[in-house]
Amino acid sequence: MSAVVYVNGKIADAEHASVPVFDHGFLYGEGVYETLRTYQRRPFLFDRHMRRLRQSASLMALDVPFSDAELHARIDETVAAHPELASHLGQGSGGQDAEAYIRVLLTRGVGELTYNPAATPKPSLVIIVKPFPVPPERTFSQGIKLALVSVRRNHPQALNPMIKSNNLINNALAMQEALRQGAEEALMQNQAGELVECSQSNFFVVRDGRVLTPPLSAGLLPGITRELVLELAAELGISGGESRLTPADLERVQEAFITGTTREVTPVIAVSDQTIGDGKPGEMTKRLLAAFRKRT
């Protein structure tokens, strides 16, 4: 794996990077994370990602022992240590192969086998950097299929989806079901049967000229790209916003798409056996993708 990893002040390649087995992020999944990517070698929407990281951490009483500037410096240091990425630094707007995938993980830290936070006074910080895996162009030009899976999104009173938690078993099981159905992403429902989000992205539809996405109150993660796309839609004069959606609504939508850091704005042409619109990327989706790429 072509990656370099920062672990609590030490940078190593993927083969030699390690986290102690008594880290509560490993033992209990106690931690939060953010996934970023670079454009022009700069982490895109860094400030927004850090705002969400701090919000996620606050919801589980996890201390964030660094400033945004300090974390940015550590990310830059880790990117500079990657041989495939460092050679492209400072070369202007070069090719996509120069861009970086960045994953920041903050865990409760190392301590005894107990749920008591007092046992882990020092959080652990891990930063994974590797070349950004560019999605195939056909996902944007032809669209993708989602699977409406049986795995329900965590109930907010069980594990709040507002926490971007390192504990991703809910997402993993949903995605594995989607893969078995030959889909490229899993669309999940909440306990009330409402559509909420996908395993790795947020979900949007276009209905009667309006761009709609499930509300945060339905139980989903406030996506950074989701937030930006809503802003771009407003700038373009496209009406819409949050709206509760159910699987039955898919029969009445003209377009659908997903949003995410690694997905940008990806058209959706089918959800399980339900074809969306005329089965090809819609014009509203194309406008939003173009606006997104102009912004980046």
Side-chain angles (χ1 to χ4, degrees), residues 142-158:
Q142 301 175 28
I144 66 169
K145 175 185 175 182
L146 308 185
L148 182 62
V149 296
S150 63
V151 177
R152 297 296 174 106
R153 194 68 175 100
N154 290 324
H155 192 285
Q157 291 181 318

Side-chain angles (χ1 to χ4, degrees), residues 38-288:
T38 63
Y39 292 92
Q40 317 299 328
R41 256 72 59 204
R42 297 166 65 182
F44 187 55
L45 302 177
F46 176 81
D47 292 347
R48 301 193 194 202
H49 280 283
M50 291 307 100
R51 178 193 67 203
R52 188 172 65 180
L53 179 76
R54 293 180 184 282
Q55 173 67 9
S56 292
S58 72
L59 291 171
M60 56 180 292
L62 173 61
D63 183 40
V64 181
F66 45 75
S67 68
D68 289 4
E70 288 170 335
L71 180 59
H72 202 303
R74 292 171 188 172
I75 289 174
D76 288 345
E77 180 185 6
T78 310
V79 172
H82 196 294
E84 295 178 41
L85 296 169
S87 62
H88 293 283
L89 291 173
Q91 292 187 13
S93 61
Q96 289 181 316
D97 60 344
E99 303 297 355
Y101 168 99
I102 302 160
R103 192 179 183 99
V104 176
L105 304 98
L106 183 68
T107 79
R108 189 77 74 186
V110 178
E112 292 297 327
L113 294 170
T114 172
Y115 293 140
N116 189 345
T120 52
K122 186 178 180 180
S124 292
L125 175 64
V126 177
I127 303 169
I128 300 171
V129 170
K130 64 177 184 176
F132 179 74
V134 181
E137 182 54 34
R138 58 131 185 111
T139 63
F140 300 106
S141 61
Q142 301 175 28
I144 66 169
K145 175 185 175 182
L146 308 185
L148 182 62
V149 296
S150 63
V151 177
R152 297 296 174 106
R153 194 68 175 100
N154 290 324
H155 192 285
Q157 291 181 318
L159 178 58
N160 192 347
M162 294 282 283
I163 303 173
K164 195 169 176 66
S165 166
N166 291 343
N167 188 330
L168 291 170
I169 190 65
N170 183 232
N171 308 65
L173 291 176
M175 187 62 192
Q176 289 160 14
E177 182 178 335
L179 291 172
R180 289 194 295 270
Q181 294 185 36
E184 295 186 56
E185 183 46 305
L187 179 58
M188 305 172 74
Q189 302 170 73
N190 61 18
Q191 299 301 314
E194 299 171 334
L195 301 177
V196 283
E197 62 183 335
C198 297
S199 70
Q200 303 169 78
S201 56
N202 288 113
F203 182 67
F204 283 76
V205 299
V206 177
R207 185 174 65 196
D208 301 326
R210 304 181 71 230
V211 172
L212 304 171
T213 190
L216 298 181
S217 60
L220 58 130
L221 181 76
I224 301 300
T225 308
R226 172 187 184 273
E227 177 182 70
L228 177 58
V229 166
L230 288 171
E231 294 171 7
L232 292 172
E235 292 173 11
L236 293 171
I238 299 172
S239 66
E242 295 186 337
S243 178
R244 293 190 178 274
L245 302 168
T246 68
D249 289 317
L250 297 175
E251 299 178 5
R252 301 188 296 114
V253 305
Q254 290 76 53
E255 302 178 33
F257 58 90
I258 59 172
T259 62
T261 295
T262 62
R263 298 278 197 166
E264 297 184 333
V265 179
T266 300
V268 172
I269 58 171
V271 177
S272 294
D273 295 331
Q274 177 67 54
T275 299
I276 301 297
D278 58 6
K280 60 184 181 181
E283 293 305 314
M284 199 82 78
T285 303
K286 293 177 182 177
R287 287 181 65 193
L288 288 167

